[in-house]
């Protein structure tokens, strides 16, 4: 039997959209800016599985002037707790020095306690009479609302205060202030404001857009499910082809894998033909929930962190420039479709 050789490079897809910056993203960001004078701490959430791609420089640009804590959420979906994971986390911490960094899963009480401890210590340092107010921000569907609910449940033993969901856009407006630490004679209360996810105005490369889509930062209708599944297959093969062994032998052909998924899960159309889109969405959701491997999509090194910082940073200085890039991209796609039709 021939040795299986995975693809080392995913094909460039220039036709992919590079933006998901919606009207309520802009409105939410503008509202955050007006509230900044009453906020003591910005808690910026990034997805542990895409620590580079889920950074949005708009937060650094528009919410400057306040201390910031970066929390990498969904650690349980991207880490097995091995040496490679610990090294990656150490690299990220070192790169962001002196900005404090925490890694978290809303399902792990110990990591939630570490965020509460940081919030409590920060509140003590502010010494206000009305309590410390903090704002939680991040890209769509990075787990802001889930983190807020976990902080509230562990901090003040109250139920959910924010709605959550599998698709982005559940939180579309600035939420009410939620208490996460009770006031005592020795310390003030701590309150947290939930905010809508804000997408970066323009994604510099197509692969970063695929990563964000695979993690659920854009709606599943934006990029074809089979395209997202193909990128997932590419990543699975780089990790371990056995992760999908119950549905298919090692393959670089996503349709072979999806046909196997369709047969095993009953996602078939009339005549017994595979429903490729339904099978792709099912497989993607299984990965998102940690059932088909737990790994990071971004390659994290000192060099890649620095390169990403420069690449994304070039877009942060001009929102209008980013909008022009997105408009030009849409014009080129429309022109290409017109040429094909002619």
């Amino acid at each position: 039997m021939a040795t299986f050789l995975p693809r080392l490079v995913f094909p460039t897809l220039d036709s992919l959209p590079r933006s998901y910056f919606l009207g309520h993203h802009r409105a939410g960001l503008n509202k955050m800016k007006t509230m900044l004078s009453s906020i003591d701490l910005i808690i910026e959430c990034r997805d542990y599985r895409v620590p580079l791609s889920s950074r949005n420089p708009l937060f650094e640009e528009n919410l400057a002037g306040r201390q910031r804590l970066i929390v990498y959420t969904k650690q349980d979906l991207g880490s097995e707790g091995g040496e490679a994971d610990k090294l990656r986390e150490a690299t990220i911490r070192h790169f962001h020095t002196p900005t404090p960094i925490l890694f978290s899963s809303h399902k792990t009480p110990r990591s939630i306690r570490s965020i509460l401890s940081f919030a409590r210590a920060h509140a003590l340092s502010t010494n206000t009479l009305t309590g410390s107010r903090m704002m939680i921000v991040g890209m769509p569907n990075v787990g802001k609302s889930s983190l807020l609910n976990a902080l509230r449940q562990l901090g003040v033993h109250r139920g959910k205060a924010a709605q959550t969901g599998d698709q982005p856009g559940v939180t579309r407006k600035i939420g009410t202030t939620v208490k996460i630490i009770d006031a005592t004679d020795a310390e003030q209360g701590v309150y947290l404001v939930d905010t809508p996810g804000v997408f970066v105005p323009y994604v510099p490369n197509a692969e970063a857009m695929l990563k964000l889509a695979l993690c659920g930062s854009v709606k599943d209708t934006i990029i074809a499910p089979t395209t997202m599944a193909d990128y997932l297959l590419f990543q699975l093969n780089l990790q371990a082809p056995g992760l999908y062994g119950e549905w298919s032998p090692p393959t670089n052909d996503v349709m072979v894998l999806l046909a196997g998924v369709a047969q095993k899960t009953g996602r078939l159309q009339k005549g017994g033909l595979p429903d490729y889109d339904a099978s792709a969405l099912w497989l993607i959701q299984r990965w998102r929930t940690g059932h088909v491997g737990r790994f990071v999509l971004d390659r994290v090194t000192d060099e890649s962190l620095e390169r990403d910082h420069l690449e994304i940073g070039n877009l942060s200085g001009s929102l209008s420039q980013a909008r022009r890039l997105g408009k030009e991209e849409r014009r080129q796609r429309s022109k290409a479709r017109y040429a094909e039709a002619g």
Side-chain angles (χ1 to χ4, degrees), residues 210-276:
L210 278 171
K211 293 173 183 177
L212 290 168
L214 195 54
C215 289
S217 285
V218 303
K219 287 190 175 180
D220 289 340
T221 54
I222 301 299
I223 296 176
T226 52
T227 300
M228 287 194 290
D230 191 22
Y231 186 70
L232 175 57
L233 174 61
F234 167 73
Q235 289 281 355
L236 289 169
N237 281 335
L238 294 178
Q239 298 293 325
L243 289 170
Y244 58 85
E246 62 181 293
W247 306 297
S248 168
T251 180
N252 287 315
D253 188 339
V254 70
M255 294 307 179
V256 171
L257 172 58
L258 294 180
V261 169
Q263 290 294 334
K264 291 290 182 67
T265 64
R267 284 168 170 75
L268 302 171
Q269 298 176 320
K270 288 183 179 180
L273 297 175
D275 188 331
Y276 290 111

Side-chain angles (χ1 to χ4, degrees), residues 43 54 63 117 158 169 181 282 336:
I43 301 178
S54 60
L63 305 180
S117 295
R158 301 281 182 86
I181 297 176
W282 181 86

